[in-house]
Structures are given as structure tokens and as C-alpha cells.
Amino acid sequence: MRGRLSVVGIGPGDETLLTPMARRTLEEATAVVGYRGYLEMVSPLLGGKNALPFELGQEVERAWRALDLASQGERVALLSSGDPGIYGMASPALEAWLALPAPQRPPLEVVPGVPALAACAALLGAPLGHDFAVVSLSDLLTPWEVIVRRLEAAAAADFVLVIYNPRSRGRPWQLGEARRIVLRHRSPDTPVGLVRRAYRQGQAALIATLGTLDEAAVDMETTIIVGSSRTLARDGVMLTPRGYRQEGKG
Amino acid sequence: MRGRLSVVGIGPGDETLLTPMARRTLEEATAVVGYRGYLEMVSPLLGGKNALPFELGQEVERAWRALDLASQGERVALLSSGDPGIYGMASPALEAWLALPAPQRPPLEVVPGVPALAACAALLGAPLGHDFAVVSLSDLLTPWEVIVRRLEAAAAADFVLVIYNPRSRGRPWQLGEARRIVLRHRSPDTPVGLVRRAYRQGQAALIATLGTLDEAAVDMETTIIVGSSRTLARDGVMLTPRGYRQEGKG
């Protein structure tokens, strides 16, 4: 019997945002590979399965382990939080899969999920109502110059900016640099949404501005959405209008 | 009794990608407002409800109708395909909501969904494995110069580029212009993924290149993902590696 590998997006974490497709894939899996914290999120679905928890930062190891198990005939679910295509496990899994000789590759599928950017936006209102750019501030695998160039370009072209991995104990200064870059193109009054642990225990959503943003309160579980020149914050919501032209009430 | 307005992301269309949160919101709704085609997608859930189908392009009308019904005490679900925050109904709904005097506003929530960009990426492999920018080519509400500036910036800074609303009968030329802009910064060999009707009947996914892309085959139900300089296409999958640095096998 031939196995298969499903890279599964489990969404933000709450079971009410786990799609039926992801749930079914988990139920049918014989082996589940993922970061320890993600395995805990779906633990009610893992009874009797071969569960292989990994630590953070072992994405390549996870991908190869999942692939090995699938090659041995297991139906493997490789977990990603949010959507696996967005800074998730789809990319390392496919890199490993392509490195195998074609006859040795098990079938591979990606099961999409509700990404962090959509979950965070929903809690803030409608900050992504128009064009946006998504940038990770992690320079572990990307030279900082590449990240700077993208922040510059996105800020100059008035994109709403979604920032993943804004700050951690090991990377405390990148967020301040990013803010200085954006401030060269946008007013200090620009609304900034900060969402921590969207749809998880301890959820917190806050709307600040580029000028007042408290960097020290940001950690690796925070996603940041920086408004464009047209984004407004009012009465607790953050909104980017969908159009530049004036619209009448219908 | 006071009503409420829920802006609900129903995902790409298939019931297996409708989140339990969206399903429950639809089940609890007394009135459902949305584009005719979206109402059909969730028709099994609409029995006995006040269903108000609208035509395409009446987003502002839909938002006000939904808001009026919620103000009258109905529990209203306002439908968006994909995620309501990404070119969906969250923005027009919140604009209308903010235009009401505060005491007249019904409670409003946004229920996130699986966006088209995540669904399309899953069918192509892992094209969004690194930073990306999202641009709509519709110039109905946005001046074409703003769109051009964003395409230029995203192409120059080597973002993967997700293109919504690439082409319709009324807007046949924007895609060709966008392609010319990107080609000033990227090789004609750059992989381009085209996905039509992701997770719906008639689904089609195709990987072409910037040079070979057949514009005439693109319509308003297509989402396009243009690779960065690091994106590769091989053996039927499109992959953007998650890092710029070399990684070893774990």
C-alpha cells in the first residue's frame, strides 16, 4: 500500500476555524507530524495515531520525517497553523519532495486553511480592504537587505503591509527598523493593527499608530497590519476602503 | 430584540472548505444577503431564511441592505466568497456601518474564511512560500496609475505577485499591461500559475511562464500567481523556497 502526504492548514487554532477538509484529513491520517504546539491544538483528533511532535525551527526535519513516513506507506498529515502556503510547511515539504527521485515520491497534497492574516484582519475590522503586501521580518533565512528592499517598495507604493514574525527575543531590533522605513513614506498617524493569538486563548487585538506603537509589547505570536495612506481607524475598527473613487450610498 | 450583522467568508465554494464558524453563523441567521451565485453555493443551509440575492457589482447596495435588516432586528449573514477581508464585503459593510450614527449601529462581526489566494496556491504547490504582494487589476474604483505603481514596486522588489480580477470582457487590456510591467523586472521564464474556479465545479490549474501566458484564456474567475526570481516550476508544481540561504537536509 502506498502512503501519502497531506500538508494541512489547521487555521488559527480554534476548532471552529478548522475546515471540514482539514478535519477529515486528520481523521484519516495514520501519522501526524508537526510542531508540538500545533499537535496540542488538534489533540482531540489524534487518538490512536502515530503523533510526532517537533520543536520550533525544525521545519526541514519535519518535512523529511513526514515524507519518509509517507514513503513507508503511512497516510501522513503534516501540520501548519493558518494556511500551509503562507510561511508554512507547504514550501519545505515540496522542496524535500522535489529532491526525491520521481518514482520514490508519494502523492502530496496541500489542504488550505484560514491564514493568520485573514484571522487578524477579521478581528480588526477590514484593514485589508485593498491591495496589500506580506513581509516576514525574520532574517534567519533571508538577508536583511532583501527584507528592507521589500518594506521600502511596499511603503512607497502605498500597499497595506502585513508583517509576520515581527519580533522575538533573538530578533528584537528588526521591527524598529521596519517602522523607520515605513515612516519615511507614511504619516505617524497611520493606523497599525496588532493582533496576538488570534482565535486562541489569550487573544488580544489593539489599534495603535505608526507613531505610538509600543514595540516592546510585540512578540513572535503577534501579527501586525500597517495601514495604507487611505486606512482609517475609528470607533474601534480599522478600515481600508475598497476603492479610491467616491461611492454613493446604494 | 436587537439584530446583528455577520460578514461571512464562505471560502472558495466547496462545503469542505466552509469553516464550522461560518456554517454556524449561516444556520443561526434569519436573513442572508449576497451575490446570487454565493447564495447558490450555500443553498442547503438557507431553508426557511429570508434570502436576498443581488447581482455582481452591487456591493454597496448589499452592505446597506444587510445593515438595514440588522437594524430591524434580523440576524443577518452577508456573504463573501473566500475571505471577506480580501476584496470582499468586510470593507463596504464597515464603511456603511461607520456612516451610521453610533447609537444606530447593530453589532457587527467578520467571520474569516479560506481566501482565494490560499486555495489557488494549494492547487499549484507552494508558490507563496515567501513574501508576496496582492493586487487587483480592477480599475473600476481605483485609478490605473495607482495599480501600475504597485505592480512596478512589487515586481522591482521581487515579491511573488498575486493578481485578483485579472481580466473581464469589460477590462480586456489590463493584464497585458501588467505583464509588460513585470517583464521589465523578471525573466520571461518566470513561472506563472493560473487557477480558475478553485475547489468549484470546472476547476482548472495551469502553470505557464510570463513569456508563454495565454491572456485570452484568463477571465474574471481566474486568480494569477506570478513567481519571484526564486520561484521554480517542476514536475507539475510551483514552488517558492521559504529562504534565500542554503539549507541542508535535516
Side-chain angles (χ1 to χ4, degrees):
Chain A
M1 189 196 79
R2 213 171 169 206
R4 73 166 188 222
L5 173 54
S6 302
V7 190
V8 182
I10 61 171
D14 193 275
E15 233 182 299
T16 62
L17 290 173
L18 179 76
T19 66
M21 191 186 291
R23 173 181 280 271
R24 201 194 53 220
T25 307
L26 289 173
E27 285 167 351
E28 291 175 359
T30 57
V32 181
V33 176
Y35 165 56
R36 185 180 300 282
Y38 303 158
L39 286 172
E40 278 163 25
M41 283 179 193
V42 295
S43 58
L45 300 173
L46 302 188
K49 297 181 196 302
N50 183 11
L52 295 102
F54 279 74
E55 298 306 320
L56 275 181
Q58 298 183 303
E59 289 83 6
V60 176
E61 290 83 349
R62 279 181 243 169
W64 278 106
R65 187 62 185 275
L67 209 48
D68 287 346
L69 288 167
S71 300
Q72 290 161 26
E74 300 248 28
R75 300 173 81 147
V76 184
L78 175 59
L79 305 185
S80 247
S81 72
D83 176 68
I86 301 175
Y87 306 115
M89 289 303 303
S91 181
L94 266 173
E95 260 191 288
W97 186 84
L98 281 174
L100 286 177
Q104 292 176 28
R105 293 174 190 155
L108 186 152
E109 63 167 353
V110 179
V111 177
V114 175
L117 63 87
C120 295
L123 294 173
L124 293 166
L128 304 179
H130 210 277
D131 305 332
F132 62 96
V134 187
V135 177
S136 164
L137 293 193
S138 170
D139 56 356
L140 290 177
L141 298 172
T142 304
W144 181 244
E145 312 83 74
V146 173
I147 299 170
V148 165
R149 193 170 136 219
R150 290 193 178 142
L151 291 168
E152 275 282 351
D158 205 24
F159 278 101
V160 171
L161 186 57
V162 183
I163 297 179
Y164 275 69
N165 307 312
R167 191 171 183 274
S168 68
R169 264 164 297 184
R171 294 186 297 98
W173 56 267
Q174 286 83 349
L175 177 58
E177 276 299 301
R179 183 191 197 178
R180 274 182 284 280
I181 291 166
V182 179
L183 274 169
R184 286 205 288 270
H185 301 276
R186 264 173 236 177
S187 154
D189 296 334
T190 305
V192 177
L194 298 108
V195 182
R196 201 171 168 272
R197 295 183 65 78
Y199 298 98
R200 295 183 193 172
Q201 199 158 23
Q203 166 186 302
L206 168 78
I207 301 175
T209 67
L210 264 181
T212 62
L213 165 63
D214 176 13
E215 288 169 30
V218 174
D219 65 11
M220 57 181 287
E221 295 195 283
T222 309
T223 301
I224 298 181
I225 302 182
V226 181
S228 74
S229 69
R230 312 227 342 140
T231 304
L232 57 91
R234 219 169 79 208
D235 299 343
V237 301
M238 184 170 165
L239 165 68
T240 305
R242 73 193 184 110
Y244 272 61
R245 303 224 160 92
Q246 196 59 43
E247 297 166 70
K249 177 180 162 173
Chain B
M1 188 196 78
R2 212 173 172 205
R4 73 168 188 221
L5 173 55
S6 302
V7 190
V8 181
I10 61 172
D14 192 276
E15 232 181 299
T16 62
L17 290 173
L18 180 76
T19 66
M21 192 186 290
R23 172 181 283 269
R24 200 194 55 219
T25 307
L26 289 172
E27 285 167 352
E28 291 174 359
T30 57
V32 182
V33 176
Y35 165 56
R36 184 180 299 282
Y38 303 158
L39 286 172
E40 278 163 25
M41 283 178 193
V42 295
S43 58
L45 300 173
L46 302 187
K49 298 180 194 305
N50 183 11
L52 295 102
F54 278 74
E55 297 307 319
L56 275 180
Q58 298 183 303
E59 288 82 6
V60 176
E61 290 83 349
R62 279 182 242 167
W64 279 106
R65 188 61 185 277
L67 209 48
D68 286 345
L69 288 167
S71 300
Q72 290 159 27
E74 300 249 27
R75 300 172 80 146
V76 184
L78 175 59
L79 304 185
S80 246
S81 72
D83 174 71
I86 301 176
Y87 306 116
M89 290 303 302
S91 181
L94 267 173
E95 260 191 286
W97 186 84
L98 281 174
L100 286 178
Q104 291 176 30
R105 294 174 190 157
L108 186 153
E109 64 167 352
V110 179
V111 178
V114 175
L117 63 88
C120 295
L123 295 173
L124 293 166
L128 303 180
H130 209 277
D131 304 332
F132 62 96
V134 187
V135 177
S136 165
L137 294 193
S138 171
D139 57 355
L140 290 177
L141 298 173
T142 304
W144 180 243
E145 314 82 71
V146 173
I147 299 170
V148 164
R149 192 170 136 219
R150 291 193 178 143
L151 291 169
E152 275 282 350
D158 205 26
F159 278 101
V160 172
L161 186 57
V162 182
I163 297 179
Y164 274 69
N165 307 312
R167 191 170 184 275
S168 67
R169 264 165 296 186
R171 294 184 298 97
W173 58 267
Q174 286 83 348
L175 177 59
E177 277 300 300
R179 184 191 197 177
R180 274 182 284 280
I181 291 166
V182 179
L183 273 169
R184 288 205 286 270
H185 301 275
R186 264 174 235 177
S187 153
D189 296 333
T190 304
V192 177
L194 299 107
V195 182
R196 202 171 165 273
R197 297 183 64 78
Y199 299 96
R200 295 183 193 172
Q201 198 158 24
Q203 166 186 301
L206 169 77
I207 301 174
T209 67
L210 264 180
T212 62
L213 165 64
D214 176 14
E215 288 169 29
V218 173
D219 65 11
M220 57 181 285
E221 295 195 284
T222 308
T223 301
I224 298 181
I225 302 183
V226 181
S228 75
S229 68
R230 313 228 341 142
T231 305
L232 57 91
R234 218 167 81 208
D235 300 343
V237 301
M238 185 170 165
L239 165 68
T240 304
R242 74 196 182 107
Y244 272 60
R245 303 224 161 91
Q246 195 58 42
E247 296 166 70
K249 176 180 163 174

